[in-house]
Amino acid sequence: MLNRIVTVLVFIPLAIVLIALAVANRMPAAFTIDPFNPGNPGLTITLPLFVLLFAALALGLILGSLATWFRQGRYRKAARQREAAPAPAPARPGGNQPALPAPRN
């Protein structure tokens, strides 16, 4: 049920906005890697603007995901070590633990 609500309220409007963005930005745009000689055809690619925008969005998502994954590495390592540690033995009745008080009725 929650998945359906998320799909309807988030993903469908997002898809509509992305489709509108793609339709509105179909004109070719030049992207060059060489800032000192922007006319260099070897380092310039001409694509529709929406392709460049979507590529930048995808690259940002990938880099952000990798940064988060690396930053959380110590927590994953601690969780693995906690799981691998042997569990303490259960306490025996009548051992060195205090007895529970008698119930009151």
Side-chain angles (χ1 to χ4, degrees):
M1 178 69 179
L2 185 63
N3 286 341
R4 189 168 190 88
I5 292 171
V6 168
T7 300
V8 170
L9 293 179
V10 175
F11 293 132
I12 291 177
L14 182 63
I16 292 170
V17 169
L18 291 176
I19 290 169
L21 180 71
V23 170
N25 293 297
R26 291 180 292 167
M27 297 301 295
F31 176 74
T32 185
I33 299 173
D34 187 3
F36 303 110
N37 185 11
N40 185 355
L43 299 174
T44 302
I45 187 169
T46 303
L47 293 170
L49 183 59
F50 75 91
V51 172
L52 296 173
L53 292 174
F54 289 165
L57 178 68
L59 182 65
L61 286 172
I62 291 169
L63 290 177
S65 298
L66 286 174
T68 301
W69 188 74
F70 282 119
R71 292 280 298 177
Q72 293 176 348
R74 68 178 116 161
Y75 301 112
R76 288 192 308 276
K77 182 179 179 182
R80 280 193 306 269
Q81 289 173 348
R82 227 182 355 261
E83 271 186 23
R92 290 181 286 168
N96 57 359
Q97 294 183 348
L100 295 174
R104 294 183 214 175
N105 291 335

